[in-house]
Amino acid sequence: MNILLKNNWWKSIAVVLILYSIVAGLMLPVPRLPVLNESIRNLYFHVPMWFGMVVMLIFSFTFSIKYLSGSNLKHDLYAKNFAFTAMIFGILGLITGMFWAAATWGAWWVNDPKLNGAVVGLLVYLAYFVLRGSLEDEHTKAKVAAVYSIFAFVLYIAFIYVIPRMTDSLHPGSGGNPGFNVYDLDSRMRVVFYPAVIGWIVLGVWISTLLIRLNLLEEKDED
């Protein structure tokens, strides 16, 4: 048992941090801010999922570059699965964001550059998987996907970070609106928020490694 925990200590940390952030996020007191009220608890779920998504995309972007520099198919496998996990986190981020929008803006969806950019960015990565499925030769698929992945990452960052900051936006931290770090002065939220960010990121890595191992086993069975 000790050997198992030693080999999987980072997975144990992910479980502990996420459970802690869920329980503490729902039970501990939060500041009573105008409009937000109790909905501010979504900060512990919505934002960490987006952080996790971006980190997974960075991993995918990095392994895409590594494939182009060495043509190692394992790097393409890593890039694909980190991108897939990022898509999962992105969808969860959109769903939690819609609940937050309904509570604070009075609508499940508004015509906002941040929200629209997030959807367009996810569609860009959906096209990444469609592109992969349209090619049969493994090296051709890996090369084309790696090039597309690099451009997709740049576009996604532009859609969710650059463009919203240049236009009017309801979303905190965009369009001149202050981020939560400006008007959230209650340090009690930070002791839940930061563990949640770390926990979801580590969980994303865990999910990606499981998918990678599953793909490797499938390839071994085919051989």
Side-chain angles (χ1 to χ4, degrees), residues 36-50:
L36 291 171
N37 298 313
E38 285 289 325
S39 73
I40 198 174
R41 295 183 187 276
N42 205 359
L43 180 73
Y44 304 136
F45 308 99
H46 172 68
V47 180
M49 288 175 185
W50 283 108

Side-chain angles (χ1 to χ4, degrees), residues 23-168:
V23 175
L26 296 176
M27 300 298 293
L28 292 183
V30 293
R32 299 297 179 179
L33 298 177
V35 181
L36 291 171
N37 298 313
E38 285 289 325
S39 73
I40 198 174
R41 295 183 187 276
N42 205 359
L43 180 73
Y44 304 136
F45 308 99
H46 172 68
V47 180
M49 288 175 185
W50 283 108
F51 271 101
M53 176 203 65
V54 172
V55 172
M56 298 307 108
L57 290 181
I58 290 174
F59 281 128
S60 179
F61 172 78
T62 302
F63 281 112
S64 294
I65 293 176
K66 284 189 174 183
Y67 173 80
L68 292 176
S69 63
S71 297
N72 188 335
L73 284 176
K74 281 191 176 181
H75 290 155
D76 173 63
L77 185 66
Y78 298 159
K80 178 189 73 171
N81 285 293
F82 276 113
F84 184 80
T85 305
M87 288 280 291
I88 295 175
F89 277 26
I91 293 171
L92 291 175
L94 282 178
I95 294 172
T96 53
M98 290 172 65
F99 278 99
W100 209 350
T104 57
W105 298 339
W108 292 96
W109 194 269
V110 295
N111 187 20
D112 184 87
K114 184 88 168 184
L115 277 64
N116 294 338
V119 173
V120 172
L122 286 177
L123 291 176
V124 168
Y125 270 96
L126 177 62
Y128 165 79
F129 289 100
V130 173
L131 177 64
R132 294 186 63 92
S134 66
L135 300 172
E136 295 184 1
D137 180 74
E138 292 300 322
H139 283 283
T140 301
K141 178 191 301 184
K143 185 178 294 185
V144 173
V147 173
Y148 183 92
S149 175
I150 293 171
F151 283 105
F153 178 76
V154 174
L155 287 174
Y156 196 80
I157 296 301
F159 285 139
I160 65 172
Y161 287 118
V162 179
I163 296 176
R165 293 178 183 273
M166 300 170 62
T167 59
D168 293 332

